Amino acid sequence: MSMFHFDDDFSAEIKNNNGEVIVVVTDHGNVVKISGFPTKEDAHTFVMFADFDEMDNDFINITGPNYDLNWSSN
């Protein structure tokens, strides 16, 4: 759907996975899938924060979304 490239050789892609919006982050070969976004627009806002740390995430800390995000790594 949408691919974003950031400094330090990592990228994020917003995908539709069987009707579910997910963000797939690739950082130096490590892949993390973040799910739970109600819309593509919510996922885009999340990606624009460029903070993919599950434990201390700026998007969650600042916006306090009314939905839960789930991180999974391969």
Side-chain angles (χ1 to χ4, degrees):
M1 292 175 82
S2 301
M3 177 66 95
F4 304 87
H5 297 279
F6 298 92
D7 293 339
D8 299 330
D9 194 32
F10 76 92
S11 64
E13 184 175 10
I14 300 171
K15 293 185 171 186
N16 185 323
N17 184 22
N18 297 324
E20 179 183 28
V21 178
I22 64 170
V23 173
V24 179
V25 178
T26 304
D27 182 8
H28 296 94
N30 297 318
V31 177
V32 176
K33 293 180 183 176
I34 306 166
S35 61
F37 301 98
T39 67
K40 180 181 176 188
E41 291 76 21
D42 292 305
H44 184 268
T45 301
F46 174 81
V47 169
M48 291 298 98
F49 272 79
D51 178 3
F52 306 107
D53 180 358
E54 179 180 7
M55 295 303 169
D56 186 25
N57 184 272
D58 289 341
F59 173 79
I60 293 171
N61 293 337
I62 292 170
T63 68
N66 60 355
Y67 51 86
D68 293 322
L69 297 179
N70 303 300
W71 274 254
S72 64
S73 46
N74 293 353

